[in-house]
Amino acid sequence: MKITQEEVRHVAHLARLEFPEDQIGKFTIQLNDILMYMEMLNALDTKGVEPMTHATVLYNAFRDDEVKPSLGEGESLANAPDPRGQFFRVPRVIE
Amino acid sequence: MELYELTVHELHEKLVSGETTAREVLDAYYRRIEAVEDRVHAYISLMKETAYAQAEEADRSIREGRIGPLTGVPIALKDICCTRGFPTTCASRILENFRPPYDATVVARLRAAGAVFTGKTNMDEFAMGSSTETSYFGVTRNPWDLERIPGGSSGGSAAAVAADECAAAIGSDTGGSIRQPAALCGVVGMKPTYGRVSRFGLVAFASSLDQIGPFTKDVRDCAILMNVIAGHDPRESTSVPVEIPDYRAFLDRSVEGWKIGIPREYFMEGIDPEVRAAVEGAARALEGSGAKLIEVSLPHTKYCVAVYYIIAPAEASSNLARYDGVRYGFRAEDPRDLLEMYKKTRSAGFGAEVKRRIIIGTYVLSSGYYEAYYKKASQVRALIREDFDRVFALCDVILTPTTPTAAFRLGEKLDDPIQMYLSDIFTISANLAGIPGISVPCGFTGEGLPVGVQFLAPHFEEGRLIQIGSALSTLMPREVRRPRL
């Protein structure tokens, strides 16, 4: 096994997800199959190969430091599930 | 011939000459949609109200002689492209009621060209899938056989074009999500070079792989759409400020003297004999017109799927962290505290495949596994790109099958992620390398399912893809076959 049910629960917590207990088993098996498939990469010697992190030539895209209009309050809050005044309301964080 | 059967260039001609009006054209499309949509389900939502306003505006501008390249032409948008004030769901419950405050650049460009938007098309949730079966809003069916999948993730866009529910459509391609459904639905689909089309307003899946492109009924329409959507966008830092040719200039030209690379790794395991025969038929037709076929090798091909399913989920896990139920989208009811709100919102808001990929992505980036997975995959990605650089020194374009098989049955691979992932085996490499690719119809299987041939070209050489696609269409005239709906 590449990944145990316990690890799946831990990674799920990191990703702010949760799974019903009856699904964790099947999910873990599927993840193991996928991670086993990826094992094939270990057959390849990549010593000294520079990792490719982007598909385009790397360069900086600069623009002039000018203030441009941005979204107003109304538009910014229009999709909020629980707006309150100028704010996004969420459950209490600090007791 | 019905209006809805016409290509973009045919429609445009009739509109400009006054033979028909944008309103008549739109009526014809909505009647067609009404007649077939309950069987195909290509759309998540229709934009009727704004479409008629756009059509009226198109008719007015034609009367006044202000004619854009797409004036009055009905076009469908994958529901991953932000449309100002109109729901953009990404086929996910978590964005079910999201109305973007701005248009994607591709949408703004199409608007400016005079296009009329019919609606937003169905897709795999967050573009994660190869069959359009992971949509929160139900499956799309292949117009050629309603028991089969249309491909994915842009399955709704491909099916809408194939079923004549729009004249052309926009999709996005992260590992084949334009080319694979185009092949399975018998239409033309292009993934441009990474950086060619602005991703501003495209809901992000894997930012180093995502690219927007067109679905069309023929290669001429592909050139017309590319002329509209390609180009630098100051709001998108990976869009490249290089000159855009007039892609129509590549149409109707011969490929005599071209060298076409046939990578042996793409004609081996798992390829269906009928698909292989159709693709080889296309190669021979091009050879017959004076192109030279040369065998080439892309030795790291077999690693593409493994590399992709590390890199794409890694990027996705980061991109999808923004769906937290705070600023927009779905929020779970009555959480006890903030942490529970995040977890319940995300767990109820995302479907199984999206969660699977977020977990894989989080895992491969997590401490202790980063080197073994993400770094390793990024190194192999560099080798895959080098393969292409080497081969493009030897040939003008590469020819491959777009998919290993024709459309598979609904449900066939839904419970087997690896089999589903392998259906993208021939398309993923172009996204990893950042090069452009096109899928063009090249025949049918004995059961009457369409087959596509894929051409790949070096960075920013979409013109070559238009040229060879157009040449192939002349050599193998599209069979006058339409889906029976």
Side-chain angles (χ1 to χ4, degrees):
Chain A
M1 293 286 270
K2 304 285 297 175
I3 185 169
T4 62
Q5 291 197 15
E6 210 32 62
E7 283 176 294
V8 170
R9 281 193 198 91
H10 173 65
V11 175
H13 167 71
L14 294 177
R16 300 296 183 258
L17 288 170
E18 57 191 11
F19 295 92
E21 276 307 306
D22 60 329
Q23 284 176 26
I24 278 268
K26 184 180 168 196
F27 202 76
T28 306
I29 292 168
Q30 286 178 334
L31 288 181
N32 267 297
D33 287 347
I34 294 166
L35 293 171
M36 290 299 283
Y37 180 81
M38 290 163 179
E39 279 291 286
M40 72 162 79
L41 297 182
N42 293 331
L44 211 55
D45 182 10
T46 50
K47 219 159 111 198
V49 177
E50 193 60 34
M52 173 177 170
T53 52
H54 230 278
T56 188
V57 266
L58 275 181
Y59 59 89
N60 288 321
F62 290 118
R63 63 166 173 78
D64 293 333
D65 188 15
E66 275 169 27
V67 178
K68 291 189 177 162
S70 48
L71 289 184
E73 201 178 286
E75 277 187 315
S76 301
L77 288 161
N79 281 287
D82 189 8
R84 184 64 62 94
Q86 295 175 277
F87 300 101
F88 299 102
R89 197 160 76 123
V90 296
R92 180 187 293 274
V93 184
I94 301 164
E95 290 298 327
Chain B
M1 193 130 182
E2 304 285 346
L3 281 172
Y4 56 73
E5 293 178 343
L6 302 175
T7 59
V8 169
H9 56 95
E10 288 164 344
L11 266 180
H12 199 244
E13 244 169 63
K14 286 191 190 296
L15 284 162
V16 172
S17 69
E19 205 180 310
T20 185
T21 64
R23 198 194 158 85
E24 269 176 12
V25 170
L26 191 60
D27 275 338
Y29 274 98
Y30 278 129
R31 274 200 304 274
R32 173 69 176 172
I33 289 169
E34 199 153 305
V36 301
E37 181 63 1
D38 60 332
R39 278 163 289 157
V40 179
H41 189 234
Y43 286 96
I44 288 177
S45 53
L46 295 175
M47 304 174 84
K48 261 189 170 171
E49 206 175 301
T50 47
Y52 276 103
Q54 284 177 310
E56 239 170 73
E57 172 60 29
D59 283 330
R60 193 175 318 125
S61 55
I62 291 168
R63 280 196 302 274
E64 292 168 6
R66 291 179 289 116
I67 294 161
L70 296 174
T71 298
V73 176
I75 288 182
L77 300 167
K78 185 178 182 180
D79 206 16
I80 194 170
C81 302
C82 284
T83 39
R84 186 179 172 147
F86 190 86
T88 300
T89 69
C90 248
S92 181
R93 182 184 188 193
I94 214 158
L95 284 177
E96 190 172 5
N97 298 310
F98 175 60
R99 290 171 187 266
Y102 55 82
D103 273 336
T105 296
V106 66
V107 172
R109 279 175 170 265
L110 290 164
R111 265 190 218 288
V116 172
F117 299 133
T118 50
K120 307 291 292 285
T121 58
N122 200 14
M123 54 185 279
D124 283 294
E125 185 180 2
F126 281 101
M128 297 178 191
S130 311
S131 67
T132 313
E133 290 170 293
T134 71
S135 168
Y136 178 65
F137 302 101
V139 301
T140 294
R141 290 163 185 271
N142 192 314
W144 294 92
D145 179 347
L146 297 171
E147 295 310 309
R148 291 176 189 269
I149 57 100
S153 66
S154 314
S157 288
V161 174
D164 295 319
E165 296 184 71
C166 60
I170 293 297
S172 64
D173 188 316
T174 305
S177 286
I178 292 173
R179 291 158 289 153
Q180 185 253 26
L184 302 188
C185 289
V187 300
V188 175
M190 178 186 274
K191 180 202 93 77
T193 308
Y194 183 82
R196 188 57 119 176
V197 177
S198 169
R199 294 180 293 111
F200 179 80
L202 173 76
V203 179
F205 161 13
S207 306
S208 82
L209 303 164
D210 296 341
Q211 187 60 198
I212 295 173
F215 285 93
T216 55
K217 294 180 187 180
D218 67 10
V219 177
R220 182 170 303 274
D221 284 1
C222 179
I224 292 169
L225 270 279
M226 280 298 294
N227 274 357
V228 172
I229 65 174
H232 177 241
D233 176 5
R235 286 187 293 193
E236 208 268 82
S237 63
T238 63
S239 83
V240 181
V242 293
E243 211 178 309
I244 307 296
D246 181 348
Y247 290 107
R248 290 171 307 176
F250 296 92
L251 296 163
D252 307 319
R253 280 162 55 174
S254 144
V255 290
E256 200 183 329
W258 279 31
K259 290 193 191 114
I260 301 174
I262 312 285
R264 68 175 78 95
E265 293 84 0
Y266 283 67
F267 287 85
M268 291 165 91
E269 49 198 309
I271 173 168
D272 177 86
E274 286 186 298
V275 168
R276 185 186 182 121
V279 171
E280 286 174 348
R284 272 195 308 276
L286 290 162
E287 190 180 28
S289 79
K292 200 170 158 203
L293 305 182
I294 58 167
E295 191 182 295
V296 295
S297 173
L298 296 160
H300 295 95
T301 299
K302 67 175 172 201
Y303 302 109
C304 286
V305 173
V307 168
Y308 178 83
Y309 280 97
I310 292 171
I311 290 174
E315 293 184 13
S317 71
S318 165
N319 273 326
L320 271 62
R322 73 189 67 174
Y323 303 103
D324 55 8
V326 175
R327 291 148 299 153
Y328 49 83
F330 169 78
R331 180 190 288 193
E333 301 274 316
D334 300 323
R336 270 177 313 180
D337 55 27
L338 191 62
L339 183 65
E340 194 184 274
M341 186 191 91
Y342 292 151
K343 285 190 175 177
K344 292 217 175 312
T345 293
R346 290 165 60 78
S347 300
F350 293 134
E353 180 61 21
V354 173
K355 284 188 253 191
R356 187 151 44 226
R357 296 207 198 182
I358 291 175
I359 298 283
I360 295 171
T362 307
Y363 179 76
V364 300
L365 290 176
S366 65
S367 114
Y369 297 103
Y370 170 83
E371 298 251 330
Y373 290 103
Y374 186 76
K375 186 177 169 206
K376 183 81 182 180
S378 303
Q379 288 175 310
V380 181
R381 184 179 183 184
L383 299 176
I384 290 164
R385 185 185 164 150
E386 282 169 23
D387 280 357
F388 280 107
D389 290 345
R390 246 190 328 268
V391 164
F392 283 129
L394 306 171
C395 61
D396 299 284
V397 292
I398 291 171
L399 179 154
T400 82
T402 310
T403 59
T405 66
F408 45 94
R409 290 184 186 281
L410 289 162
E412 192 180 316
K413 300 185 181 182
L414 199 52
D415 236 13
D416 189 345
I418 292 181
Q419 280 312 308
M420 186 71 91
Y421 298 171
L422 287 171
S423 67
D424 294 332
I425 192 161
F426 298 145
T427 46
I428 279 172
S429 55
N431 301 79
L432 292 173
I435 58 172
I438 193 172
S439 179
V440 181
C442 69
F444 292 87
T445 65
E447 286 182 288
L449 298 170
V451 177
V453 57
Q454 172 179 245
F455 298 104
L456 302 172
H459 294 89
F460 302 108
E461 296 290 351
E462 289 86 354
R464 290 191 203 171
L465 301 178
I466 302 268
Q467 187 164 342
I468 197 161
S470 160
L472 182 67
S473 333
T474 330
L475 296 166
M476 302 178 79
R478 188 177 169 193
E479 284 182 68
V480 204
R481 254 200 239 194
R482 307 190 92 87
R484 274 191 299 267
L485 279 167

